[in-house]
Amino acid sequence: MTNPNASQSTPETNPDARAAIGERRKPIIASIAAFCVGALLAGGIVGGFAYARQGQTSGGEPGGSTTATAADSCDTTFTVVASVNQWGSLAEQLGGSCAEVTSLINSTSADPHDYEATASDLAKLAKADIVVLNGAGYDGWAEKAQLDPDKQTIVNVGDLMGITATEEHSHEHEEGEEGHHHHHGSTNPHVWFSPEGVLKAAEAINDAYVTKAGENSKTAATVQRHFNEWNGEYADFVALVNKGRAAGVQRNYVATESIISYLLDYIGATDKTPETYTNAMNSEAEPSAADLKNAMDIVASDDVDILVVNPQEMGGFAKKLNEAAISSNKTIISATEQLPENQKTLLDWLTLIAKQALATDTTNGFFLTQDVKDRTLADYEGEWQSVYPYLQDGTLDSVMEAKAKKGDMTAEEYKQYYDTGYKTDVEKIVIKGDQMSFTRGGKTATATYKYDGFKILDYAKGNRGVRFLFTATGDVPAGAPKIVQFSDHGIAPGKSAHFHIFMGDDSQEETLKEMDNWPTYYPASLSKEEVATEMLAH
């Protein structure tokens, strides 16, 4: 039922039953937050936050952005300036219509390490009601602005975490093969990747909003509602990580730089990056040839699952490690410094990276590259029926209605979307041995197919899919495609319960470009009502 090419739709939490929780709930929220921080520091939370999610329907996935159905009511509004969009997006989510938020660095094409504040930037910082800084030496240019703590509320996340810039921390800019290096010494300033830091920042921003507006104001009630909703999403994020812990998921990684180490530490991953390599990259020295080779060998070894790269900083040494990961068929996680343009919120982003690292949700496109294995036509053997007629005759209306309750389109809009996806004139497919038969309008064409390997596709929103490729051999009769590609959300040998198929007559490369039409087939033994039931469960 899901599109195997576009990013899998994430059910959004239902905010309809949520109401603003006024001052009587503030002690509860404070207790929840304190509990969360303590549990984070202790290494995990199991089943926490249930009472913070009153009114949310089940089935929402971690990180799903919520949109309040109740209009924001603001008797006071704030101007908020954040040094970087990681924190600006959080301030905007928590403030809703009551906060006018500006992020001075708002693109992955900008490098905060090279950033030079303009007079306009400094003026915006000086005039803002609330200023949100990363701190820890990351955005020193913003910390040097003429801020007035007597008139402005300044949220410095590094200070909240007790992390300040040290003498070791500097940003050197050495041009050459390696571009410039980030020298953080013992300080890791990427605190937006710390679940603890994100929680503390959210609490501090919410407190700033409530204090500025006045506890009994309409604005305070509005921002408190947004904070309560955010807290529920944070609980989902924590539950996602705890599910991985409970399942005993263990991930070993090497990183070209320590950009997401806070998050990886939180999910229980082990850093296998050689200390000599890390020390060299965090200082003015360059890794020696021996240190670089050792790091490349470790990436390629069976002891490492993941390589983490920062695409904004892909110097020669990072490229060498990236090449080692590709040649050894390892999973590569790409993490920019600024919030990517295709991510709505900071928590969405952290959730996505956690899913990529845990790699335990194959159905929705989160798996390790090295776990993908070759498959044969035996996995798809049998007689299959197209679901397209059932979309047309209304049998799948209940499926579309169910999707509308969780997604962001109406049932009719989903039906139109799937009409494009499911559309086909191939009513039936029969697979036996190395042969496939295609029936159109009562006429059947049969051809023999050989396996041509698999292709992993990376989708825009961070998840992935696998297509298993087959090419017709010998004389191919009219009505039988020369190219066939299967996608069934599986990544290794196993009997398929349903599949999406891509058919073409040019080449595997051309057929891989098809992203909109993915005819879908279920066993011919199922009635149309049973097909609908299977889809509802999928």
Side-chain angles (χ1 to χ4, degrees):
M1 187 177 78
T2 49
N3 178 354
N5 300 291
S7 60
Q8 300 294 331
S9 57
T10 301
E12 293 190 2
T13 52
N14 181 357
D16 292 348
R18 291 179 182 172
I21 301 176
E23 294 304 301
R24 61 188 179 84
R25 294 291 303 278
K26 289 184 71 177
I28 298 177
I29 297 298
S31 299
I32 293 170
F35 166 71
C36 179
V37 173
L40 277 165
L41 295 174
I45 305 173
V46 179
F49 287 99
Y51 40 84
R53 298 181 60 71
Q54 295 180 11
Q56 179 171 323
T57 60
S58 62
E61 290 197 3
S65 301
T66 56
T67 303
T69 54
D72 289 349
S73 179
C74 311
D75 46 17
T76 303
T77 58
F78 323 105
T79 56
V80 183
V81 176
S83 59
V84 292
N85 68 353
Q86 300 93 301
W87 298 120
S89 68
L90 179 61
E92 187 172 6
Q93 184 180 11
L94 295 174
S97 301
C98 302
E100 182 180 336
V101 181
T102 299
S103 297
L104 297 181
I105 297 182
N106 196 33
S107 170
T108 55
S109 63
D111 189 338
H113 302 279
D114 284 336
Y115 193 74
E116 295 184 7
T118 66
S120 174
D121 291 338
L122 297 177
K124 289 175 183 176
L125 286 165
K127 294 178 181 178
D129 297 318
I130 299 167
V131 174
V132 185
L133 305 176
N134 185 79
Y138 186 78
D139 46 4
W141 52 270
E143 295 183 73
K144 293 177 183 177
Q146 298 299 310
L147 304 178
D148 186 348
D150 292 330
K151 297 181 179 179
Q152 299 173 286
T153 300
I154 302 167
V155 176
N156 185 310
V157 186
D159 288 349
L160 292 175
M161 295 184 66
I163 301 174
T164 57
T166 67
E167 293 182 359
E168 296 174 299
H169 182 108
S170 65
H171 292 152
E172 300 292 340
H173 307 284
E174 300 176 1
E175 298 301 328
E177 179 190 8
E178 293 304 303
H180 65 266
H181 305 286
H182 297 178
H183 304 313
H184 301 306
S186 60
T187 300
N188 183 352
H190 306 107
V191 292
W192 60 91
F193 283 119
S194 164
E196 176 192 357
V198 172
L199 178 65
K200 286 181 182 241
E203 292 170 343
I205 293 169
N206 179 66
D207 287 345
Y209 287 162
V210 171
T211 300
K212 284 280 186 183
E215 293 186 352
N216 297 318
S217 65
K218 293 179 180 179
T219 292
T222 294
V223 299
Q224 190 67 47
R225 171 170 55 84
H226 284 302
F227 178 69
N228 295 341
E229 291 170 357
W230 182 90
N231 236 332
E233 295 174 16
Y234 189 90
D236 284 339
F237 165 75
V238 172
L240 168 71
V241 175
N242 282 336
K243 184 177 180 181
R245 290 192 184 121
V249 176
Q250 296 181 336
R251 295 286 176 250
N252 298 329
Y253 72 94
V254 167
T256 59
E257 58 175 280
S258 58
I259 184 168
I260 62 171
S261 61
Y262 286 121
L263 179 56
L264 292 175
D265 289 346
Y266 177 63
I267 71 172
T270 301
D271 188 356
K272 294 287 187 177
T273 311
E275 186 175 356
T276 52
Y277 177 89
T278 300
N279 290 341
M281 295 305 293
N282 284 343
S283 68
E284 294 188 19
E286 295 180 344
S288 67
D291 290 339
L292 178 59
K293 184 179 185 306
N294 182 41
M296 292 172 64
D297 289 343
I298 291 175
V299 169
S301 73
D302 292 338
D303 291 335
V304 168
D305 303 308
I306 294 167
L307 174 70
V308 179
V309 300
N310 176 0
Q312 291 175 275
E313 298 297 330
M314 289 300 288
F317 299 127
K319 289 178 180 177
K320 290 289 186 183
L321 295 187
N322 194 67
E323 291 167 4
I326 292 173
S327 63
S328 60
N329 204 36
K330 294 298 173 60
T331 300
I332 300 173
I333 292 179
S334 179
T336 56
E337 302 216 12
Q338 275 61 62
L339 185 74
E341 285 75 5
N342 64 352
Q343 293 299 315
K344 293 181 179 180
T345 70
L346 178 58
L347 197 53
D348 282 346
W349 191 24
L350 265 63
T351 299
L352 172 63
I353 296 174
K355 287 181 176 181
Q356 291 174 332
L358 291 169
T360 56
D361 187 5
T362 301
T363 298
N364 288 306
F366 298 99
F367 51 84
L368 294 179
T369 300
Q370 53 269 38
D371 287 343
V372 181
K373 306 299 180 184
D374 290 317
R375 299 174 72 179
T376 69
L377 275 180
D379 284 357
Y380 309 98
E381 191 162 290
E383 185 173 335
W384 304 88
Q385 60 179 321
S386 168
V387 303
Y388 186 51
Y390 303 148
L391 182 73
Q392 293 178 302
D393 71 12
T395 300
L396 301 185
D397 284 356
S398 61
V399 179
M400 301 301 114
E401 290 164 3
K403 291 188 70 64
K405 290 179 180 179
K406 296 180 179 179
D408 55 3
M409 293 192 293
T410 66
E412 184 57 33
E413 287 171 333
Y414 273 113
K415 189 169 184 176
Q416 293 174 7
Y417 171 74
Y418 281 100
D419 187 85
T420 300
Y422 290 160
K423 191 171 185 177
T424 182
D425 61 355
V426 178
E427 306 135 16
K428 184 173 70 172
I429 297 176
V430 177
I431 303 172
K432 186 175 183 180
D434 59 358
Q435 291 190 324
M436 297 182 64
S437 299
F438 301 84
T439 300
R440 293 177 171 88
K443 296 181 179 180
T444 299
T446 301
T448 300
Y449 293 83
K450 67 178 181 65
Y451 179 59
D452 266 345
F454 60 80
K455 178 68 174 179
I456 298 175
L457 301 178
D458 295 305
Y459 305 140
K461 289 194 175 180
N463 62 338
R464 303 190 293 169
V466 183
R467 292 194 200 174
F468 295 90
L469 318 179
F470 295 85
T471 303
T473 62
D475 294 330
V476 183
K482 295 178 181 177
I483 302 298
V484 170
Q485 300 174 354
F486 288 98
S487 174
D488 63 348
H489 311 288
I491 63 173
K495 181 61 178 174
S496 182
H498 76 274
F499 60 76
H500 313 280
I501 192 170
F502 304 82
M503 297 173 280
D505 290 317
D506 295 320
S507 65
Q508 295 289 358
E509 291 72 21
E510 282 300 311
T511 307
L512 284 168
K513 295 177 183 178
E514 177 58 66
M515 293 288 169
D516 298 320
N517 178 236
W518 16 271
T520 300
Y521 292 79
Y522 274 72
S525 59
L526 297 179
S527 68
K528 60 182 183 180
E529 291 80 14
E530 288 172 329
V531 169
T533 299
E534 289 290 323
M535 285 188 168
L536 286 168
H538 176 59

